[in-house]
Amino acid sequence: MSNAWEDAQPDPSGVSGLGCEFVFETATQGEWAILRVQQIMAFQILLAHGRFPGRDLLDVFDRIPLRGPITPEPSQLTHIMVAPPVGDSPSFQLDSGHVDFLALVGITDAEAQFARHYDGERCWPG
């Protein structure tokens, strides 16, 4: 998400590409996890190119309904929430600009409703 494909030349003072890289951590390896990240990346690209008028790029505390379980097996996790990254390096700098890490977290419908009602930032434990 941080490749500056559309820039005529590198601009270290701006953002590189779409300005983010998604991080999605799971307890076990699985193709489903890669596919979920690819779906979120595709959605971010569509947002960047105005395919959802009035919608900004995904950012911290946004919630994305999956309209089904996050895994191929039954799961109560039916949404992805964009969250602050875990760790010491929330961002990095490239010659082409600044990039933020954004964590993807599976949440339940009840958690998504709670975050919507109480504001995602106020209910985030980090």
Side-chain angles (χ1 to χ4, degrees):
M1 305 302 313
S2 61
N3 288 334
W5 299 113
E6 297 182 3
D7 292 351
Q9 61 186 11
D11 178 10
S13 65
V15 296
S16 184
L18 298 183
C20 69
E21 289 293 340
F22 295 117
V23 178
F24 186 50
E25 299 181 57
T26 64
T28 59
Q29 285 188 324
E31 186 177 345
W32 68 269
I34 294 167
L35 293 173
R36 283 293 179 206
V37 174
Q38 289 174 335
Q39 290 170 337
I40 299 301
M41 290 171 62
F43 184 50
Q44 185 80 321
I45 291 167
L46 291 171
L47 289 169
H49 288 278
R51 301 297 181 174
F52 294 90
R55 290 282 319 257
D56 293 329
L57 292 176
L58 293 173
D59 202 358
V60 175
F61 304 118
D62 284 343
R63 294 159 307 280
I64 302 104
L66 300 174
R67 293 176 176 60
I70 196 169
T71 61
E73 299 82 33
S75 173
Q76 291 186 26
L77 304 178
T78 58
H79 291 70
I80 288 181
M81 183 166 156
V82 181
V86 176
D88 295 331
S89 300
S91 62
F92 59 97
Q93 183 70 34
L94 296 172
D95 290 341
S96 54
H98 179 82
V99 182
D100 291 324
F101 284 114
L102 297 175
L104 302 176
V105 180
I107 61 174
T108 65
D109 185 53
E111 290 168 327
Q113 288 179 23
F114 184 87
R116 188 177 311 110
H117 183 70
Y118 290 104
D119 184 25
E121 187 171 2
R122 287 186 27 220
C123 64
W124 188 251

